Amino acid sequence: MLSTYLTRDWGLKVPIIGAPMTPMSGGSLAAALSNCGALGMLGVSSTQPVEQLERDVDDYRRLAGAHPFGIGLMVWALDARPELLDAAIRAKPFVIAMSFGDPAKYMPRMRDAGIRVASQVQDRQSARAAEAAGVDLIVAQGTEAGGHTGGVGTLPLLQIVLETVRLPVVAAGGIASGRGLAAVLAAGAAGAWIGTPLLVAEEARNSPVARRKVIEALETDTVHTRVFDVVQRIPWSPRFPGRALVNAFTQRWAGHEDELARDDEARRVFQHAKQAEDYSNALIYAGQSVGLIHRIEPAASIVDRIAADAESALRAATAVVPLAPSGPLS
Ligand SMILES: Cc1cc2nc3c(=O)[nH]c(=O)nc-3n(C[C@H](O)[C@H](O)[C@H](O)COP(=O)(O)O)c2cc1C
């Protein structure tokens, strides 16, 4: 059994939080995670209708009843779409994750509703801002992560965030095995926030073709790029490119984003590829831990394996610190 802030204070059985991933983490994936003792999160994109979140919440409750769950929002999207925060608060989640921006001005509403708040951060400054805003949990999201992320690796970032804040910290980015979870727990994290390994979970809202691509991809097959935001005209800050599987589209347009923004034909090619599931041009957001993903399985199997292997790894790690020889009895 692993014991951290997440098990003691949040009531989880394992210190694992399923990352909010749009559109993959809907009600089924979140429910599968919460039902096996992790925490399931519903992902909310900047463009999705409120009704989609409401449907995901309904699905979740049908499958997981009153088990706690979380909702992940993108701070930068809320000024233009305050209705997403309204809907998230109405859903009464255990926690809302406010990522990719300073959550300060939204804190009072979540606090008044009795909802805990987590925040994904990508550098020391954003960790400080999240702590000053009064969040409960900081998620140190390294550049290895799938989807939008900053430029600092999980290991240096985790050390930086741990020495900066007094709050519990969870690590995200590249954790897909018991070794990874054991490493961040040993470093002082309260758990792991896992996305990429769940892209192939049976309950994820993902297609068979995309799952196959994730399984086939190597750890060297990802790229940190703005091209998919530029071609879709989604106003993400350049601070947060997205980590995706490399393909012909990223190879053609990475480094030529200004040109891409004006190219209507490239936009047509992309849209067509997306509809046709032609992943030579369509996007699959995924992190470097794709190199550790080998098969489709239920989310509970993924969580159980990571937690059990982490426990074994941590027990084995005690051999690194031999007991001091006991001195002579006096
Ligand atoms: C397909 C995909 C979609 C994602 N969508 C979101 C999102 O909507 N909101 C969010 O806060 N993070 C999102 N993320 C980032 C995750 O929250 C998390 O930081 C990341 O998956 C952790 O690293 P890992 O992918 O190496 O496990 C997404 C990640 C992936 C792979």
Side-chain angles (χ1 to χ4, degrees):
M1 203 189 110
L2 298 165
S3 173
T4 76
Y5 165 81
L6 291 183
T7 59
R8 293 189 298 268
D9 198 279
W10 285 29
L12 307 189
K13 291 209 181 81
V14 290
I16 293 176
I17 298 176
M21 296 188 289
T22 47
M24 289 78 184
S25 60
S28 301
L29 180 59
L33 291 164
S34 292
N35 281 336
C36 75
L39 182 72
M41 303 271 299
L42 302 172
V44 179
S45 79
S46 60
T47 50
Q48 77 177 54
V50 162
E51 292 72 27
Q52 175 70 56
L53 174 57
E54 291 169 346
R55 276 194 297 275
D56 283 343
V57 172
D58 288 347
D59 285 348
Y60 177 88
R61 292 211 196 283
R62 191 169 39 76
L63 296 165
H67 268 301
F69 68 101
I71 295 177
L73 299 175
M74 295 160 187
V75 173
W76 62 264
L78 296 180
D79 275 347
R81 307 238 13 239
E83 67 274 19
L84 293 176
L85 178 60
D86 298 341
I89 291 175
R90 272 199 310 275
K92 297 188 172 33
F94 176 76
V95 59
I96 292 181
M98 299 290 275
S99 301
F100 310 114
D102 185 344
K105 71 175 172 183
Y106 301 108
M107 288 300 297
R109 290 198 54 206
M110 292 180 285
R111 281 276 171 259
D112 289 350
I115 298 168
R116 300 194 191 210
V117 183
S119 182
Q120 286 195 93
V121 304
Q122 295 78 21
D123 52 35
R124 194 189 295 273
Q125 198 189 343
S126 51
R128 278 203 183 111
E131 184 172 52
V135 307
D136 301 284
L137 179 78
I138 301 230
V139 184
Q141 187 207 32
T143 193
E144 299 93 319
H148 293 85
T149 183
V152 183
T154 301
L155 190 51
L157 181 68
L158 179 60
Q159 296 167 81
I160 287 164
V161 174
L162 283 167
E163 76 166 23
T164 303
V165 302
R166 291 165 156 252
L167 295 170
V169 176
V170 161
I175 301 161
S177 72
R179 290 187 176 93
L181 176 57
V184 299
L185 292 178
W193 173 283
I194 289 175
T196 295
L198 298 170
L199 291 175
V200 299
E202 282 173 8
E203 300 86 350
R205 196 189 279 139
N206 211 355
S207 77
V209 188
R211 282 196 177 88
R212 178 61 38 208
K213 289 275 175 201
V214 169
I215 288 171
E216 285 168 3
L218 306 178
E219 61 279 16
T220 45
D221 289 339
T222 74
V223 59
H224 197 205
T225 180
R226 293 180 55 234
V227 298
F228 295 121
D229 295 324
V230 171
V231 72
Q232 295 182 96
R233 300 185 183 148
I234 303 176
W236 270 94
S237 159
R239 277 178 65 205
F240 307 116
R243 184 168 299 284
L245 296 187
V246 121
N247 64 10
F249 199 82
T250 64
Q251 282 167 335
R252 165 66 185 87
W253 292 108
H256 305 280
E257 286 78 5
D258 291 346
E259 196 188 330
L260 172 62
R262 297 187 299 269
D263 194 316
D264 291 336
E265 176 55 18
R267 188 168 158 79
R268 271 192 293 278
V269 167
F270 173 80
Q271 297 291 11
H272 178 265
K274 208 171 152 185
Q275 270 154 23
E277 273 209 80
D278 166 12
Y279 291 111
S280 61
N281 282 303
L283 72 88
I284 295 181
Y285 281 127
Q288 292 176 339
S289 71
V290 283
L292 287 160
I293 295 170
H294 308 303
R295 56 184 172 276
I296 296 168
E297 55 190 337
S301 306
I302 299 169
V303 166
D304 290 351
R305 185 176 57 250
I306 293 176
D309 290 354
E311 197 173 329
S312 306
L314 286 167
R315 287 191 198 288
T318 59
V320 178
V321 191
L323 290 177
S326 44
L329 291 174
S330 57

